[in-house]
């Protein structure tokens, strides 16, 4: 998302509202899994790239061979799309609530 913090808060509220989620409580792992399962254009590799970026493991373009090897090694560990989505949720979730709020995204 490339907008301002205020625009993001509005967007997050709309995402939650459209799906019947309570924005103030945050997104559960089940919400997150259903949300990403409806986006077939987002590949497993792209999800792994997000995980690596969140973990600070990747600061080079994916075209670099090191990045491709790193993504490939993570795909071996994270065999299914569900494994990858759960790993991404774990990177994003607030440790206090176990959910994702607008600040975590």
């Amino acid at each position: 998302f490339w907008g301002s913090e205020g625009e993001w808060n509005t967007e997050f509220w709309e995402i939650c509202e459209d799906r019947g989620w309570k924005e103030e409580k945050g997104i559960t792992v089940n919400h997150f899994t259903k949300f990403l399962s409806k986006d077939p254009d987002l590949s497993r590799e792209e999800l792994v790239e997000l995980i690596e970026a969140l973990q600070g493991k990747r600061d080079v373009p994916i075209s670099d061979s090191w990045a491709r090897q790193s993504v490939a090694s993570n795909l071996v560990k994270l065999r299914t799309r569900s494994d990858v989505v759960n790993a991404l949720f774990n990177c994003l979730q607030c440790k206090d609530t176990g959910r994702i709020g607008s600040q975590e995204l």
Side-chain angles (χ1 to χ4, degrees):
F1 185 82
W2 299 107
S4 70
E5 185 175 338
E7 290 169 325
W8 167 245
N9 287 332
T10 300
E11 180 72 16
F12 183 78
W13 181 85
E14 289 174 1
I15 289 169
C16 291
E17 181 75 15
D18 289 347
R19 288 159 183 79
W21 305 339
K22 296 186 179 192
E23 181 267 337
E24 67 276 2
K25 289 191 173 187
I27 300 171
T28 67
V29 68
N30 290 334
H31 295 148
F32 193 69
T33 301
K34 287 177 185 174
F35 181 70
L36 288 181
S37 71
K38 294 182 181 185
D39 188 351
D41 294 331
L42 192 59
S43 71
R44 286 174 59 227
E45 291 83 1
E46 290 169 314
L47 292 170
V48 169
E49 289 176 36
L50 288 171
I51 293 168
E52 289 188 331
L54 289 166
Q55 293 176 336
K57 291 184 177 176
R58 203 171 70 74
D59 58 357
V60 294
I62 192 61
S63 59
D64 291 358
S65 62
W66 176 88
R68 283 196 306 272
Q69 290 170 356
S70 181
V71 169
S73 71
N74 275 317
L75 285 175
V76 170
K77 295 176 196 169
L78 303 172
R79 295 184 187 274
T80 67
R81 183 179 175 93
S82 179
D83 291 340
V84 175
V85 169
N86 284 325
L88 181 57
F89 180 86
N90 289 333
C91 288
L92 291 168
Q93 73 176 320
C94 174
K95 301 306 178 206
D96 294 335
T97 65
R99 295 173 180 242
I100 300 172
S102 64
Q103 297 301 314
E104 286 78 34
L105 290 177

